[in-house]
Amino acid sequence: MSTDAYFEQAIAALRAVMETQREPMAQAAGMLADAIADGRSIFSFGASHSFILTEELVYRTGGLMLINPIYPHGMNL
């Protein structure tokens, strides 16, 4: 696959996500914002590779204290 074809496929995939998931993503963001504004905690879990979402929420965002990882030992390598 050429680089141009790769970029075209990546852009098409992102466009499909934008067109089909924009509203659900906005709803999810609203739910998270409401929980934070109400002082509630947010819990996140994932096993193996799916734990990356939890890692993004907890570590990359600067460790927002309302995000609580559910991280049982032994779930990840």
Side-chain angles (χ1 to χ4, degrees):
M1 175 183 284
S2 71
T3 55
D4 287 342
Y6 174 82
F7 283 121
E8 288 171 13
Q9 290 295 315
I11 290 166
L14 287 171
R15 186 171 287 115
V17 170
M18 180 182 70
E19 291 170 357
T20 64
Q21 301 304 307
R22 176 183 283 151
E23 185 59 31
M25 290 174 75
Q27 290 173 351
M31 292 171 69
L32 290 172
D34 290 345
I36 291 169
D38 291 343
R40 298 189 314 254
S41 294
I42 299 169
F43 295 88
S44 182
F45 171 79
S48 189
H49 286 83
S50 65
F51 191 71
I52 196 165
L53 178 60
T54 298
E55 290 175 331
E56 289 291 325
L57 289 169
V58 174
Y59 303 117
R60 185 177 293 263
T61 61
L64 182 60
M65 295 304 290
L66 296 173
I67 307 281
N68 299 288
I70 299 174
Y71 188 56
H73 295 290
M75 290 298 290
N76 291 344
L77 298 175

